[in-house]
Amino acid sequence: RNARFREFLEGWRKIAERVMLYEYYYKSGAMGLPWPATAAMRADLPYAARAGVCGLYTQYKPSALIGLNFYVAAKMAWDPGVDTEALLADFFDKFYGPAAKPMRRAHEALEEAVARTALHPCGISDTRYLFLDDFYRPEIAQRCRARLAEAKTAAADDPLVMRRIAVQEAGLKYAELMRDYAGAVRPVVG
């Protein structure tokens, strides 16, 4: 899909003076699930800038589970060469304070799971849920749950951070429930 997209982009650049992207940085966030896209942005947005893209629009769904996607997209749209390592470190430090390191590791576990799957959960059909058991595998959920437990220990004295961790914990639980649902309906719609 990336090669085909590159062909389209380069074709449009040949016939249009200005090209802008319309992206979906919420992906399965439309189902209310955590879906980190920052690793993809770190590759895609500098490429788009080099290819002459002059603007970015993203469809969104308000969700605390994917807010980091929009934060990174906004920063990179402004400056595609921004130091994303420093950007992410700054975000996690400011948003999670004493729990920054384990929350970053939980995020990275989900990013690794996204990178590992070849599925693209953006179609509209009853089968769109079937990628969940591939992505939110029990071992990924277990890694995330362990990081969230570390984060709660680190932030025990900070009620605001504890609430932010609780949101991520609820998102993970919901993802596990949806994964189990997908497994139950797979024989019916798969």
Side-chain angles (χ1 to χ4, degrees):
R1 292 183 184 201
N2 289 340
R4 184 97 167 126
F5 175 81
R6 190 176 306 117
E7 289 174 24
F8 286 139
L9 178 59
E10 291 169 2
W12 276 107
R13 285 293 299 141
K14 289 177 184 172
I15 60 172
E17 183 178 332
R18 302 178 86 195
V19 174
M20 296 182 210
L21 292 182
Y22 188 105
E23 182 52 88
Y24 297 87
Y25 287 135
Y26 69 91
K27 301 293 183 207
S28 68
M31 294 181 278
L33 296 165
W35 186 265
T38 57
M41 289 176 207
R42 294 166 83 176
D44 294 349
L45 292 177
Y47 163 75
R50 288 190 307 275
V53 171
C54 65
L56 171 70
Y57 179 82
T58 181
Q59 202 162 359
Y60 73 96
K61 177 178 178 96
S63 170
L65 298 174
I66 56 173
L68 180 59
N69 291 353
F70 299 114
Y71 175 74
V72 171
K75 292 290 192 176
M76 291 190 77
W78 189 260
D79 177 6
V82 68
D83 180 347
T84 52
E85 275 304 313
L87 181 67
L88 290 169
D90 185 58
F91 172 84
F92 281 97
D93 284 342
K94 288 179 179 166
F95 200 73
Y96 292 109
K101 286 182 179 160
M103 291 306 293
R104 173 89 187 253
R105 287 195 304 269
H107 171 78
E108 288 168 349
L110 291 176
E111 286 278 13
E112 290 168 18
V114 168
R116 192 171 35 250
T117 184
L119 298 168
H120 296 268
C122 56
I124 303 298
S125 73
D126 288 338
T127 61
R128 70 178 175 254
Y129 300 109
L130 300 182
F131 75 93
L132 295 170
D133 60 349
D134 181 55
F135 176 67
Y136 294 107
R137 291 188 302 263
E139 64 270 18
I140 299 299
Q142 184 178 11
R143 281 178 59 199
C144 289
R145 198 162 299 293
R147 300 302 171 258
L148 292 170
E150 289 175 35
K152 285 171 30 178
T153 299
D157 296 330
D158 190 327
L160 177 59
V161 172
M162 289 296 284
R163 284 195 301 271
R164 291 173 176 170
I165 295 168
V167 168
Q168 298 304 316
E169 211 168 27
L172 179 61
K173 178 63 176 170
Y174 177 61
E176 291 174 294
L177 292 170
M178 289 294 288
R179 178 200 64 216
D180 294 346
Y181 164 77
V185 301
R186 181 179 291 275
V188 177
V189 296

